[in-house]
Amino acid sequence: MSVRVGTADFDVSAEMARIAGNDTDIGGVAVFVGKVRGRADGQDLVSMTLEHYPGMTETELERIETEAQHRFNLSASLIVHRIGTLKPGDNIVLVIACAPHRHDAFAAAGFLMDYLKTRAPFWKQETLANGESRWVAAKESDDTAAAAWRSKAAD
Amino acid sequence: MTATPQFRTTKPESDSPGSREVVLRYFAWLREKIGTGEERMPLPPTITTVSDLLHWQVTRGHPFDAAFAKPDAIRVALDHAHAKPTATIANAREIAFFPPVTGG
């Protein structure tokens, strides 16, 4: 289980090899990569700058990973999140969930992303082609997705 | 600074009895509106909950009145942990204010 926050890009294959290693109990690996879209609300995007809360970010990501471990049969997991200024097409976030079986891998990757979206202290600021700069507003649909996991807690 | 929630202590050099200095942090558009990301402030002893804290910020005049005009739109963390409006501040040393998060 590990988390990493920084400006550097990531190599999905290298990260997958590192996190899964030689663990032959792993039967499934789910990988999610979040990327910068070139358009936002119909407008061309020049760049996206990610701010975060150093210290709390790492703590919160570790809490989310721990919660995933309690909920799913996970062999290993990884969260890498980039900060700083990114361009359309750039990678933002990588989530890898390794499990003996696919259902746990898929579900854990989805859970990690849904919780990260609503709990990890990152904020996006978009710079548009027209020169305008604006902070991205939180989406209600992200809160709904995270809340759905909370109601599943008793399953 | 590094927060150690499990070993919270009140700073001995508090301004006056009942008032203790805390670090206030601001992020994203809140930081821009306030013009700083961090300040040290003695907390009035009457403030006990996160909700008290949000409403106290509004009373501090420009630029805090405008930045905290909609306290419901602002999230709070006590020593790096999310806190609900009803949460007690207790001995938190670092209190952060920010808009709902938008990572991922």
Side-chain angles (χ1 to χ4, degrees):
Chain A
M1 308 285 150
S2 70
V3 304
R4 195 166 79 235
V5 179
T7 54
D9 194 11
F10 47 79
D11 177 326
V12 177
S13 299
E15 297 292 353
M16 211 173 96
R18 193 175 63 78
I19 201 76
N22 298 318
D23 184 348
T24 52
D25 288 337
I26 294 172
V29 179
V31 177
F32 176 83
V33 177
K35 293 165 72 73
V36 181
R37 276 184 297 269
R39 285 175 74 77
D41 300 327
Q43 303 209 57
D44 289 332
L45 191 118
V46 173
S47 65
M48 176 176 275
T49 301
L50 279 127
E51 176 175 334
H52 81 128
Y53 182 179
M56 179 173 172
T57 310
E58 292 80 358
T59 303
E60 197 58 35
L61 291 177
E62 283 164 8
R63 279 192 196 110
I64 295 166
E65 267 202 328
T66 302
E67 177 72 23
Q69 273 181 282
H70 288 139
R71 283 170 176 256
F72 309 101
N73 181 15
L74 272 184
S75 307
S77 68
L78 171 71
I79 304 173
V80 181
H81 204 298
R82 297 182 72 191
I83 50 169
T85 300
L86 304 173
K87 301 256 181 281
D90 282 353
N91 294 329
I92 305 174
V93 61
L94 168 67
V95 162
I96 301 181
C98 307
H101 302 283
R102 74 182 185 283
H103 290 303
D104 281 305
F106 279 132
F111 170 86
L112 288 167
M113 274 310 299
D114 286 344
Y115 261 48
L116 181 157
K117 281 252 176 200
T118 53
R119 301 194 62 86
F122 292 100
W123 300 275
K124 288 175 181 150
Q125 190 175 35
E126 296 170 336
T127 300
L128 304 173
N130 64 11
E132 193 192 325
S133 193
R134 66 187 184 192
W135 289 97
V136 174
K139 288 194 192 81
E140 203 178 312
S141 57
D142 289 336
D143 287 332
T144 309
W149 288 108
R150 279 192 283 282
S151 65
K152 274 186 198 171
D155 284 3
Chain B
M1 69 171 278
T2 307
T4 51
Q6 60 272 52
F7 299 114
R8 284 174 189 166
T9 52
T10 304
K11 290 183 83 173
E13 63 271 27
S14 289
D15 274 10
S16 58
S19 162
R20 69 190 176 88
E21 194 181 74
V22 291
V23 176
L24 304 180
R25 306 278 308 263
Y26 305 103
F27 293 93
W29 58 257
L30 204 55
R31 170 180 53 73
E32 288 183 338
K33 282 193 179 181
I34 289 165
T36 183
E38 182 174 333
E39 58 173 346
R40 289 177 176 274
M41 281 289 294
L43 269 195
T46 50
I47 294 176
T48 58
T49 66
V50 166
S51 179
D52 294 343
L53 198 59
L54 287 165
H55 290 94
W56 165 72
Q57 288 280 26
V58 184
T59 67
R60 293 177 63 198
H62 179 79
F64 299 91
D65 49 359
F68 285 88
K70 289 180 182 167
D72 291 350
I74 294 167
R75 302 289 177 262
V76 175
L78 302 175
D79 290 334
H80 293 181
H82 290 287
K84 291 189 170 127
T86 51
T88 304
I89 291 159
N91 292 319
R93 302 274 298 267
E94 181 169 310
I95 302 169
F97 301 87
F98 44 80
V101 302
T102 56

